[in-house]
Amino acid sequence: MYEARQTMATTSAGNGTPQRAAGGPPTSGGGGGGGDRGWFAPKHGEERTAPPSRPGPAPGPGLAPGPAPSAPGPVPEFTANPGYGRFEPSRDAELIRRVLDEVEPVSQALTSYFYALLFTRNPGVRTLFPAAMDAQRDRLFKALLTAAGLIDERRALVGYLSHLGRGHRKYGTEPGHYPAVGECLIDALARYAPRTWGQEAEAAWVRAYTAISQIMIDAAAEDARKAPALWQAEVVSHEMRTSDIAVITVRPDQPYPFLAGQYASVETPWWPKVWRQYSLACAPRSDGLLVFHVKAVPAGWVSRALVHRARPGDVLRLGGPAGSMTVDHSCGNGLLCLGGSTGIAPIKALVEDVAGHGRARPVEVFYGARSDLDLYDLDTLREMERRLSWLSVRPVVEGPSGGITGRLPDVVRRGGPWHAFDGYLSGPPEMIRSGLDALVGVGIPSDRIRHDSLGGPAALRS
């Protein structure tokens, strides 16, 4: 068989733990990788880790595109990888994208076959996944598209995969899982891409997923030195604001190190292994409590359980905080914040954060909803407005209203000027897209606009 596959099949999966995570020095010389044989070579003076002994893709339980926080530290350089050849960014990316283009129309069959291989060959892995796999398959394929699409854009790729590697700790993912996943993915692609698959394509995928898995393993190992994989959080308050929106306050079992504007992944006791992301509706508090605004959506297992079933005393599980929609307190710009529906939650947290830093800077909040009745947190924001002279709150309703009517982005366009403001967007994806266009249109540079709702390569590159 082709040399790259032979190497993947005969290398011991037991060497998949990075040296940095294991507490030992980098490997040098032969064996399953390490030293200068790694996929990513360190810059001068940097510590490095050994690559996984068998190439394997990163996707594990719950893989889903997310926002791309800045990659920690310098961006690694690509280097030679004995047994697989040298990475050629443009050529390998072209080969990978050709395969993805071919398998995209048969993505459901591809992912079903992949999971069948994975669970048949590795039965113990099945327990890491939720009972229902439909949504899981969609997330996996989208994540593969995203990672493969960024394979020749190192900074975005490292940031994206580092975020996923840290997030996968809550599923119990271990370094030894990555080679098994990689082998099954390669076999599934070979079956469903007969036109574009061959020795060159296989080598490109092997090289790429060696890199992908190592980035995730290293990020998880680094994160494990600083924080637990998950937190237990007891519900202490559950307040219904509308028939389908609840404000839920929880007490984590240990300090939860987040920044205002970030979000957390949440698992309920009623749907094990099913996680959903919710923005934190508060800045860090001295009592350690966390607040979420949750809207029950049709067929939303987690959201409906949180809104209609959760009660004080119930215990949820939280993954680590994530997200880049945070305030730069070294800057004196104002904040122009657009929050639609429960997207007002992180906006409220940003206001609390600015207030807590004691520095007066203008904050303009546009709070959008379909009707006056949907402005469920307006009274709280109005009270904050009365206390904070630099805060202005403007409710915007699409339907008939006693206040401002219209679409949120259109109303913002009519205001201003906004050139001295940084933009913050939170809400449904369609609102984020139109809001982003509106803020750029009124003169706010795109690098001064923050949001976490849009996934995919375009958002990661920006």
Side-chain angles (χ1 to χ4, degrees), residues 311-386:
R311 293 295 179 267
D314 290 332
V315 177
L316 312 176
R317 298 209 301 175
L318 309 179
S324 57
M325 201 181 78
T326 56
V327 177
D328 178 3
H329 291 288
S330 67
C331 164
N333 289 346
L335 277 65
L336 175 58
C337 304
L338 283 64
S341 185
T342 51
I344 199 63
I347 302 300
K348 184 178 179 181
L350 296 179
V351 174
E352 290 184 5
D353 191 33
V354 173
H357 278 74
R359 180 182 179 186
R361 52 196 295 193
V363 177
E364 300 278 346
V365 174
F366 287 81
Y367 181 12
R370 295 190 181 278
S371 70
D372 287 331
L373 295 176
D374 295 323
L375 297 169
Y376 68 93
D377 210 36
L378 182 58
D379 289 345
T380 306
L381 290 168
R382 287 295 194 202
E383 176 58 30
M384 297 175 74
E385 185 180 35
R386 283 190 286 271

Side-chain angles (χ1 to χ4, degrees), residues 93-107 141 145 148 189 192-193 195-196 205:
E94 179 184 359
L95 291 166
I96 288 168
R97 288 166 185 152
R98 284 179 184 174
V99 172
L100 287 171
D101 287 343
E102 181 177 359
V103 300
E104 186 171 9
V106 292
S107 61
F141 191 70
L145 285 174
L189 289 170
Y192 282 91
R195 288 189 297 102
T196 54
W205 278 89

Side-chain angles (χ1 to χ4, degrees), residues 5 103 109-115 117 121 182-193 197:
R5 180 67 68 86
V103 300
L110 165 67
T111 50
S112 294
Y113 183 70
F114 160 74
Y115 278 116
L117 289 178
R121 296 174 181 176
E183 188 173 287
C184 295
L185 180 68
I186 294 293
D187 286 343
L189 289 170
R191 178 185 178 96
Y192 282 91
W197 197 258

Side-chain angles (χ1 to χ4, degrees), residues 91-366:
R91 176 58 178 163
D92 277 14
E94 179 184 359
L95 291 166
I96 288 168
R97 288 166 185 152
R98 284 179 184 174
V99 172
L100 287 171
D101 287 343
E102 181 177 359
V103 300
E104 186 171 9
V106 292
S107 61
Q108 292 294 321
L110 165 67
T111 50
S112 294
Y113 183 70
F114 160 74
Y115 278 116
L117 289 178
L118 182 63
F119 296 155
T120 300
R121 296 174 181 176
N122 309 274
V125 173
R126 182 65 180 89
T127 61
L128 302 179
F129 291 79
M133 294 292 293
D134 291 345
Q136 177 66 35
R137 285 197 296 267
D138 291 342
R139 290 196 188 95
L140 170 58
F141 191 70
K142 289 177 182 177
L144 292 176
L145 285 174
T146 301
L150 295 170
I151 198 63
D152 55 347
E153 300 183 41
R154 290 173 298 169
R155 183 168 295 278
L157 179 70
V158 171
Y160 175 62
L161 292 174
S162 296
H163 165 68
L164 290 179
R166 292 188 293 268
H168 272 55
R169 293 181 59 217
K170 64 180 177 286
Y171 298 103
T173 305
E174 298 177 355
H177 293 134
Y178 289 87
V181 171
E183 188 173 287
C184 295
L185 180 68
I186 294 293
D187 286 343
L189 289 170
R191 178 185 178 96
Y192 282 91
R195 288 189 297 102
T196 54
W197 197 258
Q199 292 187 356
E200 277 193 291
E202 181 169 311
W205 278 89
V206 167
R207 287 190 291 264
Y209 279 91
T210 300
I212 286 171
S213 59
Q214 188 62 53
I215 294 170
M216 293 185 68
I217 290 170
D218 284 351
E222 176 70 21
D223 193 56
R225 291 200 290 269
K226 303 182 293 186
L230 51 84
W231 286 254
Q232 306 288 333
E234 180 185 357
V235 177
V236 298
S237 174
H238 186 285
E239 178 188 355
M240 295 296 297
R241 292 289 184 87
T242 72
S243 62
D244 59 358
I245 295 177
V247 174
I248 303 170
T249 304
V250 303
R251 178 184 291 110
D253 60 345
Q254 50 190 309
Y256 191 79
F258 74 101
L259 299 175
Q262 291 191 305
Y263 58 86
S265 50
V266 179
E267 181 199 53
T268 73
W270 304 285
W271 296 105
K273 307 293 171 53
V274 180
W275 295 79
R276 295 294 181 267
Q277 297 167 346
Y278 296 99
S279 293
L280 291 144
C282 62
R285 297 165 46 162
S286 59
D287 59 11
L289 297 180
L290 310 175
V291 182
F292 297 98
H293 295 184
V294 182
K295 182 174 183 177
V297 298
W301 296 352
V302 176
S303 67
R304 295 185 70 83
L306 288 172
V307 172
H308 298 302
R309 190 167 183 176
R311 293 295 179 267
D314 290 332
V315 177
L316 312 176
R317 298 209 301 175
L318 309 179
S324 57
M325 201 181 78
T326 56
V327 177
D328 178 3
H329 291 288
S330 67
C331 164
N333 289 346
L335 277 65
L336 175 58
C337 304
L338 283 64
S341 185
T342 51
I344 199 63
I347 302 300
K348 184 178 179 181
L350 296 179
V351 174
E352 290 184 5
D353 191 33
V354 173
H357 278 74
R359 180 182 179 186
R361 52 196 295 193
V363 177
E364 300 278 346
V365 174
F366 287 81

Side-chain angles (χ1 to χ4, degrees), residues 371-429:
S371 70
D372 287 331
L373 295 176
D374 295 323
L375 297 169
Y376 68 93
D377 210 36
L378 182 58
D379 289 345
T380 306
L381 290 168
R382 287 295 194 202
E383 176 58 30
M384 297 175 74
E385 185 180 35
R386 283 190 286 271
R387 291 187 290 104
L388 305 170
S389 61
W390 40 262
L391 174 63
S392 173
V393 178
R394 310 184 198 188
V396 179
V397 175
E398 293 183 9
S401 171
I404 305 173
T405 60
R407 294 176 64 254
L408 195 56
D410 295 336
V411 172
V412 172
R413 286 190 184 96
R414 298 198 295 265
W418 307 117
H419 59 273
F421 287 75
D422 294 337
Y424 292 82
L425 300 165
S426 180

